[in-house]
Amino acid sequence: MASRSAIVFLLALAVTAGGCDRQRAAAGQATASADNAIAPDEVVAAHPAKSESGKVDRSHHGAMAIDATFTTPSGERVTLEDFRGTPVLLNLWATWCAPCVKELPSLDALTAQLGGRVKVLAVSQDMQPEKVAPFVAERKLHSLQPYTDPEMQLSLGYRVNLPTTILFDAKGREVWRVSGAMDWTAPATRKLVDEAI
């Protein structure tokens, strides 16, 4: 069996070729701070599925959620199955991913607007989960909870780059997914989320 460091090296190599779903910043354009730059041990899916950034992908419509575990803010291990009975908006992000960080405030606002009718799960794919809660608190994201997936079971399982958001209906079936950052407060985006209600 390959060692963890060899696996991380291979995944980092894949990210170098494919990378986070971020565009290069123009000169002077703001991005995540240097403290949040991608580290060699923080990677995403090895061979991500190709899709156009910001486009709604319905090709997986009806597929059941994968059986991957992740961690709640209180440290409990859960799967998407544990949220069955309520529609779920799953957002996969990381502190080092500039488009992820950019969309978090609008995702936080959407979470507050939904009032629990759709469970918003913003699951960090950072391999250092201890930095996620302070990162969320520092940005004053009051509605989003710091879920973590340091083993990247979700991003690897779905074979996606970051950020990726997947909407599931109350029965745990996929409705659609979007690769890339979104404005979650836009009326058109809200209509997409309402498809699961």
Side-chain angles (χ1 to χ4, degrees):
M1 181 190 270
S3 70
R4 178 178 165 92
S5 60
I7 291 169
V8 169
F9 172 77
L10 291 173
L11 290 173
L13 186 60
V15 168
T16 303
C20 171
D21 203 16
R22 59 182 162 189
Q23 286 75 32
R24 289 184 190 263
Q29 181 178 346
T31 60
S33 71
D35 292 338
N36 298 326
I38 186 168
D41 65 339
E42 296 175 323
V43 294
V44 292
H47 296 287
K50 298 292 183 196
S51 68
E52 285 187 59
S53 182
K55 294 279 187 184
V56 176
D57 175 2
R58 296 179 186 275
S59 65
H60 304 278
H61 183 83
M64 295 302 295
I66 63 172
D67 187 30
T69 60
F70 54 100
T71 307
T72 68
S74 62
E76 189 179 352
R77 297 293 286 171
V78 294
T79 67
L80 291 168
E81 175 69 24
D82 293 313
F83 298 91
R84 180 84 60 99
T86 303
V88 169
L89 186 67
L90 172 68
N91 178 264
L92 303 177
W93 70 285
T95 60
W96 46 261
C97 173
C100 301
V101 173
K102 180 180 178 182
E103 77 173 346
L104 285 176
S106 69
L107 188 62
D108 187 62
L110 174 67
T111 304
Q113 291 170 8
L114 290 171
R117 286 175 293 153
V118 174
K119 180 68 176 175
V120 178
L121 299 175
V123 184
S124 165
Q125 302 297 286
D126 286 276
M127 292 179 72
Q128 296 174 322
E130 66 279 359
K131 67 183 185 179
V132 176
F135 185 90
V136 168
E138 180 182 297
R139 281 155 181 78
K140 298 180 175 43
L141 303 172
H142 302 294
S143 298
L144 290 177
Q145 299 298 307
Y147 288 84
T148 58
D149 178 15
E151 296 162 358
M152 300 172 289
Q153 288 189 35
L154 290 165
S155 58
L156 291 171
Y158 281 110
R159 299 181 63 208
V160 295
N161 278 327
L162 304 180
T164 290
T165 305
I166 306 173
L167 180 67
F168 297 94
D169 65 18
K171 294 181 180 178
R173 296 176 302 209
E174 185 170 331
V175 179
W176 50 254
R177 66 179 65 178
V178 173
S179 177
M182 297 280 286
D183 176 0
W184 295 104
T185 58
T189 307
R190 178 59 188 270
K191 275 178 115 175
L192 286 171
V193 174
D194 287 346
E195 289 182 27
I197 299 175

